[in-house]
Amino acid sequence: MSTEVKVPVLGESITEATLGQWLKKPGEPVAVDEPIASLETDKVAVEVPSPVAGIMGAYAVEEGATVNVGAVIASIDAGTGAAAVPAAAASAVAPAVTSTAAPAPVAASENSDLPLSPAVRRLVLELGIDPSKIKGTGKDGRLTKEDVIAAAKGAPAPAATSASTATPAASAPTGARQEERVKMTRLRQTIAKRLKSAQDTAALLTTFNDVDMSAVIEARATYKDLFEKKHGVRLGFMGFFTKAVALAARDVPAVNAQIDGDEIVYHNYLDVSVAVSAPNGLVVPVVRNADAMSFAQIEKAIGDFGAKAKAGALTMEDMSGGTFTISNGGVFGSLMSTPIINPPQSAVLGLHRIEDRAVVRDGQVVVRPMMYLALSYDHRLIDGREAVTFLKIVKEAIEDPTRLLIDL
């Protein structure tokens, strides 16, 4: 007897997803509620748990296929031990490896117990790395592309391949031009559509300023150890900027508002979408009621979201809503950028890298740790005067953090 595994309800208004990766192979034992597949929706990756304990049965769809909510994607057979995989099921385990693939790496990747995503599997084949000998840093110990690349850099050069097993690629002349086509993930497609929609719909404009980070850096250096000891979380820059945005939004409410048809919706709360990097692209989980949170609460919330994003565990609820976005490109080394708003929001604050620059203070040229700030906004709702005022308040609060304490 077998039990069907169906695509679960994915969230409001979401009716389909892409089967991104199988996490269990036919014939492997499965525990109840153990994830057996990963689905990619428009916003996040969702794991499909097994409804019962048993043996993983045949796949009904392959990786990369589009599936609707309620569709059957696999079956769980009764039993507790490893079962032989039928030939038909084995052929559906993954897209067939073409005859041009090198036999040795293929055997290593298919015989490994580690679940490999299509991108990782392809990289393993290209580099000739045995995935069973690599320690994965992804969720549940899964391998990431970074794990494979790091292992390849530290591994000795592979032995020369015999003529009987050499691939056409191996015999290609040095410097051969190659191309690879990879289908965009559903998340990447959605990101592309939303960003283009923002450009087509909103009247986007960006205003810039720079901020002296000396006071914040000094405060962090003075209190970071005590802060972490008391709250169990590191004191970062995002807490300061989030509090500064909350302060500025009180004086310039249009920046925290949105257009809905022919009406303007003003929010008396601040839900900050924090752009963080995830394996499949940039995602923006929401720190809710950030204006009422302490530094420690803000830092903890952002840290938790970062960890969940890296593990691919963000939920629909984590991503929904948001009235304003903060995007920190500085962690990747960006000096300056013009961020695009996250619809239906009307503004986004871009942070950039901190670098020592010569500035004039009291008639003297001095060196200060400076950062460029960029505020992109929808000019249909926010006037230039309001945007400049908002950014100026943020700058003043960062350069004199006491303003955050006395609400000035």
Side-chain angles (χ1 to χ4, degrees):
M1 186 180 74
S2 61
T3 302
E4 293 180 335
V5 180
K6 299 182 179 180
V7 177
V9 176
L10 301 171
E12 184 179 357
S13 76
I14 298 179
T15 60
E16 63 178 22
T18 299
L19 202 151
Q21 179 183 1
W22 285 108
L23 306 180
K24 283 289 185 178
K25 299 177 182 178
E28 290 185 337
V30 179
V32 63
D33 291 332
E34 183 178 5
I36 64 169
S38 176
L39 300 177
E40 295 177 357
T41 71
D42 291 347
K43 293 184 177 181
V44 295
V46 179
E47 291 185 337
V48 180
S50 173
V52 295
I55 302 299
M56 185 70 196
Y59 300 158
V61 296
E62 295 183 353
E63 291 180 350
T66 298
V67 293
N68 295 320
V69 172
V72 176
I73 59 173
S75 62
I76 304 297
D77 299 330
T80 57
V85 183
S91 66
V93 168
V97 179
T98 64
S99 60
T100 60
V106 172
S109 63
E110 290 182 348
N111 293 335
S112 171
D113 291 333
L114 300 173
L116 304 180
S117 69
V120 171
R121 183 183 299 112
R122 182 167 52 250
L123 193 59
V124 164
L125 293 173
E126 291 174 354
L127 299 178
I129 299 295
D130 183 354
S132 65
K133 297 180 180 179
I134 307 175
K135 182 177 181 181
T137 61
K139 187 174 182 182
D140 298 329
R142 298 172 199 160
L143 294 184
T144 66
K145 293 178 66 176
E146 290 74 14
D147 296 332
V148 178
I149 293 172
K153 289 181 178 178
T161 307
S162 64
S164 61
T165 59
T167 67
S171 61
T174 303
R177 291 155 56 88
Q178 298 180 349
E179 293 182 351
E180 180 183 10
R181 290 180 179 269
V182 179
K183 185 177 180 180
M184 294 174 66
T185 64
R186 181 174 293 271
L187 176 59
R188 175 53 60 185
Q189 292 179 48
T190 301
I191 291 173
K193 291 177 182 177
R194 286 176 59 82
L195 292 178
K196 187 56 182 173
S197 174
Q199 288 183 318
D200 293 341
T201 304
L204 291 177
L205 187 63
T206 303
T207 185
F208 299 92
N209 211 324
D210 62 359
V211 57
D212 186 341
M213 297 292 293
S214 299
V216 169
I217 291 175
E218 182 180 353
R220 289 184 69 223
T222 302
Y223 299 111
K224 64 178 182 179
D225 293 338
L226 183 61
F227 185 90
E228 185 171 2
K229 182 178 179 180
K230 180 175 181 179
H231 300 291
V233 64
R234 295 179 59 187
L235 177 60
F237 292 122
M238 288 299 293
F240 288 94
F241 279 102
T242 302
K243 299 293 283 186
V245 165
L247 181 67
R250 295 191 193 119
D251 289 348
V252 190
V255 175
N256 191 41
Q258 67 185 59
I259 294 176
D260 184 11
D262 58 356
E263 297 179 332
I264 299 174
V265 180
Y266 290 96
H267 306 102
N268 65 353
Y269 54 87
L270 178 69
D271 287 352
V272 177
S273 300
V274 182
V276 297
S277 180
N280 292 330
L282 198 68
V283 293
V284 280
V286 180
V287 179
R288 305 186 193 282
N289 298 312
D291 53 320
M293 298 174 72
S294 67
F295 277 85
Q297 290 172 326
I298 293 172
E299 294 291 356
K300 188 176 188 307
I302 294 174
D304 290 345
F305 282 140
K308 292 177 71 174
K310 183 177 180 181
L314 286 171
T315 66
M316 293 294 179
E317 185 178 357
D318 293 333
M319 308 281 287
S320 63
T323 61
F324 185 89
T325 294
I326 299 178
S327 178
N328 186 5
V331 297
F332 304 109
S334 171
L335 176 64
M336 186 178 293
S337 67
T338 55
I340 300 177
I341 63 173
N342 180 26
Q345 299 173 19
S346 299
V348 52
L349 177 66
L351 311 183
H352 302 90
R353 77 169 184 252
I354 302 170
E355 64 175 9
D356 288 341
R357 291 203 297 270
V359 296
V360 178
R361 295 288 185 267
D362 299 325
Q364 300 293 320
V365 177
V366 295
V367 176
R368 292 286 187 270
M370 303 297 294
M371 175 196 287
Y372 286 117
L373 302 179
L375 181 72
S376 290
Y377 57 97
D378 189 345
H379 211 346
R380 297 178 302 165
L381 172 60
I382 303 168
D383 295 330
R385 174 185 59 83
E386 293 175 310
V388 172
T389 299
F390 176 90
L391 203 54
K392 183 173 179 289
I393 295 174
V394 172
K395 169 185 171 70
E396 292 172 343
I398 295 299
E399 293 184 339
D400 182 9
T402 304
R403 289 173 175 266
L404 301 175
L405 301 177
I406 61 177
D407 195 13
L408 184 59

